[in-house]
Amino acid sequence: MSVPFGTREVEGVTLRDGPAREDCFECVDADAEMHDWPEMSEIARRERLHRHMNNECGALEIASQCLVDFPEAPWGLRLNLARQAADEARHAAVLRRRIDQLYGYKGEFPVNNFEWAITMMVDDLPGRLAIENRTFEAGLIDILGSLRDVWREAGDSTTADVLDAMLADEINHVRFGNRWIREMTEKDPTVLLKVAKAIRKLATAIQALASEAGEENAVGVTIGKRMAPAVYVQGRLEADFTEEEVKEVLRLAGFRSIIPHELG
Amino acid sequence: MISTVRQRADTVATFRYINVRLMETLAAWVPTTAELEAKILFGRHLWDFAQHTDLFGNRAGELRLARHISRRASAPFVAILDRLAAFDETDSRIDGFYNGFLSILENLYIHDLEEADELLEEPTIRIVKRALWDFERLQADCRDLVAEFPQLSTGNGASCELKAMAESLSGFVDFRSDQEDFKQ
């Protein structure tokens, strides 16, 4: 297994060098370097879509590199990864089209390849699935679950429908990640150690690179206290998280007192 | 022409090998290709080769090989696959893959259809016809991309190089000897 990319140190964290990007893209490492507006102005909408497009590219690149790095993985898992890659590619293409429709363009805003940079530092497949599918993509289920409504309320039902279609795909990606981690763990309980090690690596990196509340970002917006997105319970259950796991996510997000009755 | 089950199984398992290599080649190009639209094209299309791999892998099992086992192609054919995978410029990758290698594989599939007994080999024939049908879409997608981004159309002779390598091929399947186990 060898990822053909070097590494770099950022804030004491070792990150994988980024995947190839055209010169029009400015790649940054910190959230504070991004152009992030809290409201839904025209420029803020384009930036959200541009950021999302790059993140979909990152997910495409991670799934693809897993196909390259783990030729001995079970064929069923490789087939799932290939499908994920194709889905993420379609998502990136659809977002690119939507950006064009809103008179934006490729490279209009800085992009951050953190998902790739940290996931590719893990050299086993269960660890990568734990970070990318079970954490980042599961987080995307929560984000998309609420973003659809944000866009619709802002009067853009086209983008809301695009995000809704992506949500359906992302649930499948999280589901197969959960199923394969479970299956691999049943065959070899030491897989759990790999998963735990990968998640610890991710948590350390997020802590080291997180922006400070009160800091100003690249467009002069003061960064507030980071709020976890609302947990999309139904989406996570469809993605094969157990009820116990969903309850744990809700507790961590500070929703202990309002855990849905059906999970109580 | 009627060939033995053993020969058909070796051919199908070799088709599987070729499709795995194509899926992996496109996958390796995704993070190492800068141009967004080309990256997306490779990402969408690697799923097609994964599906063809899956179909051939199941068919190999039906032909009394283990399911989802590949048979490495003949050394000269592997050399063509290796050359394809080694292209590192985006225009060479596009020309080499869509104008070069797909055309070579298309010829292999068509030759296989011509040789196969259409009743005895109907399950394999359906897979091969499905693959050929998919190729038309893949090549049309590529033409659309190149029409939008003409700078990706140059190719540096990649397809010609691959086709020249294919001209001297005498076969692409490394058939099992009589001594090799029937099951792998």
Side-chain angles (χ1 to χ4, degrees), chain A residues 11-262:
Chain A
E11 303 288 339
V13 179
T14 306
L15 297 175
R16 186 66 63 190
D17 284 342
R21 288 285 179 276
E22 289 161 283
D23 291 342
C24 63
F25 288 105
E26 181 195 353
C27 298
V28 300
D29 286 314
D31 274 353
E33 296 174 272
M34 297 291 281
H35 293 186
D36 190 8
W37 292 271
E39 77 280 8
M40 288 292 278
S41 64
E42 284 186 17
I43 195 168
R45 292 182 199 202
R46 291 202 306 275
E47 196 280 330
R48 283 172 187 236
L49 292 173
H50 191 272
R51 179 192 302 231
H52 194 163
M53 175 184 74
N54 188 66
N55 288 345
E56 294 290 345
C57 271
L60 157 63
E61 289 159 335
I62 290 167
S64 299
Q65 193 63 43
C66 286
L67 286 171
V68 176
D69 290 341
F70 304 104
E72 303 305 323
W75 171 244
L77 173 51
R78 300 190 86 200
L79 193 59
N80 287 152
L81 287 166
R83 175 56 191 265
Q84 182 186 355
D87 287 346
E88 312 294 13
R90 281 190 299 107
H91 296 172
V94 168
L95 290 164
R96 167 93 170 85
R97 184 180 68 193
R98 190 69 192 129
I99 288 167
D100 283 349
Q101 289 165 347
L102 297 176
Y103 305 105
Y105 56 91
K106 226 171 30 173
E108 186 176 7
F109 307 100
V111 294
N112 182 333
N113 295 311
F114 176 70
E115 286 188 28
W116 163 275
I118 193 65
T119 308
M120 286 302 119
M121 288 306 298
V122 174
D123 61 8
D124 59 84
L125 189 49
R128 287 195 193 171
L129 290 173
I131 293 182
E132 176 58 20
N133 296 62
R134 207 178 137 79
T135 306
F136 285 129
E137 297 262 303
L140 190 56
I141 288 177
D142 297 335
I143 292 169
L144 289 174
S146 53
L147 266 187
R148 289 174 306 179
D149 300 333
V150 171
W151 283 87
R152 213 175 292 285
E153 281 162 19
D156 186 343
S157 58
T158 303
T159 301
D161 290 342
V162 163
L163 298 181
D164 196 36
M166 288 181 189
L167 173 61
D169 293 334
E170 302 300 354
I171 287 173
N172 289 318
H173 306 159
V174 179
R175 184 190 294 132
F176 87 70
N178 276 331
R179 287 184 178 171
W180 280 106
I181 288 175
R182 222 167 272 152
E183 185 168 326
M184 288 189 278
T185 305
E186 280 167 14
K187 282 186 182 154
D188 175 9
T190 64
V191 162
L192 270 185
L193 291 175
K194 293 177 180 170
V195 168
K197 200 173 153 193
I199 294 300
R200 200 177 320 125
K201 189 189 283 275
L202 172 65
T204 304
I206 287 175
Q207 196 170 20
L209 297 172
S211 49
E212 298 285 330
E215 195 180 342
E216 272 192 4
N217 73 12
V219 288
V221 174
T222 304
I223 298 170
K225 188 168 181 271
R226 190 161 292 281
M227 300 289 286
V231 180
Y232 183 36
V233 173
Q234 183 59 33
R236 281 187 176 253
L237 289 173
E238 284 179 35
D240 251 16
F241 279 99
T242 64
E243 290 188 358
E244 275 308 310
E245 287 169 331
V246 175
K247 276 197 276 189
E248 187 57 26
V249 174
L250 286 166
R251 280 189 203 103
L252 289 171
F255 292 106
R256 180 191 296 270
S257 60
I258 53 168
I259 288 175
H261 181 66
E262 67 267 26

Side-chain angles (χ1 to χ4, degrees), chain B residues 30-104:
Chain B
V30 164
T32 56
T33 296
E35 293 84 350
L36 178 71
E37 292 75 12
K39 187 190 293 285
I40 287 171
L41 187 81
F42 298 152
R44 282 172 51 216
H45 288 177
L46 69 86
W47 166 237
D48 287 280
F49 295 99
Q51 288 176 87
H52 300 168
T53 298
D54 195 53
L55 293 167
F56 283 124
N58 280 316
R59 181 64 185 143
E62 292 167 359
L63 292 169
R64 305 180 65 192
L65 277 174
R67 279 177 78 223
H68 301 307
I69 291 291
S70 294
R71 183 148 186 90
R72 188 179 167 85
S74 63
F77 199 85
V78 171
I80 300 175
L81 284 162
D82 289 344
R83 181 68 192 108
L84 171 69
F87 288 127
D88 55 6
E89 298 293 332
T90 306
D91 55 354
S92 303
R93 288 173 170 179
I94 288 174
D95 183 46
F97 196 93
Y98 293 95
N99 303 325
F101 196 86
L102 282 196
S103 164
I104 294 168

Side-chain angles (χ1 to χ4, degrees), chain B residues 88-144:
Chain B
D88 55 6
E89 298 293 332
T90 306
D91 55 354
S92 303
R93 288 173 170 179
I94 288 174
D95 183 46
F97 196 93
Y98 293 95
N99 303 325
F101 196 86
L102 282 196
S103 164
I104 294 168
L105 187 53
E106 193 172 52
N107 287 339
L108 290 185
Y109 283 158
I110 289 169
H111 181 71
D112 190 70
L113 290 178
E114 289 166 352
E115 293 284 305
D117 182 296
E118 62 184 27
L119 284 176
L120 276 178
E121 265 311 303
E122 188 178 26
T124 307
I125 287 170
R126 287 193 183 199
I127 298 169
V128 171
K129 283 187 173 173
R130 144 93 193 257
L132 286 169
W133 185 75
D134 285 340
F135 284 7
E136 288 179 25
R137 175 174 44 80
L138 305 186
Q139 284 164 326
D141 287 346
C142 178
R143 282 194 297 274
D144 288 347

